[in-house]
Amino acid sequence: MKASEARALSSEELQEKLAGLKKDLFFLRMQHATNQLDNPIKISEVKKDIARVKTVIRQQQFSTQEGAEA
């Protein structure tokens, strides 16, 4: 997921995407622990996607606060 794709989503969609990514990360870690994971790089990709989504959520919160103050 690119940051531009995340910015196009609404805050509810971002929250759903974040929950899904966290679930994916959990299952990837479980697979890694039981030596069933084929591509361990996938874990770092999911972590980066989580960070991107959290960043966009925070940016949206900041822009809403800034708009309310003005």
Side-chain angles (χ1 to χ4, degrees):
M1 165 180 281
K2 293 184 178 181
S4 59
E5 294 171 1
R7 286 189 186 99
L9 300 175
S10 69
S11 62
E12 292 85 19
E13 291 172 329
L14 285 171
Q15 292 295 337
E16 291 174 9
K17 185 75 171 173
L18 181 61
L21 287 169
K22 285 184 177 184
K23 185 183 285 189
D24 290 346
L25 182 61
F26 173 76
F27 287 120
L28 286 172
R29 285 181 172 162
M30 291 296 292
Q31 288 178 350
H32 185 65
T34 58
N35 292 326
Q36 295 176 348
L37 186 61
D38 295 331
N39 187 4
I41 296 172
K42 184 73 175 163
I43 293 174
S44 63
E45 290 174 355
V46 172
K47 284 182 179 181
K48 288 178 184 180
D49 284 342
I50 289 172
R52 283 187 193 102
V53 170
K54 283 185 172 184
T55 300
V56 171
I57 289 171
R58 183 65 181 140
Q59 287 174 343
Q60 287 180 350
Q61 289 174 347
F62 186 71
S63 67
T64 344
Q65 283 180 339
E66 199 172 79
E69 291 176 0

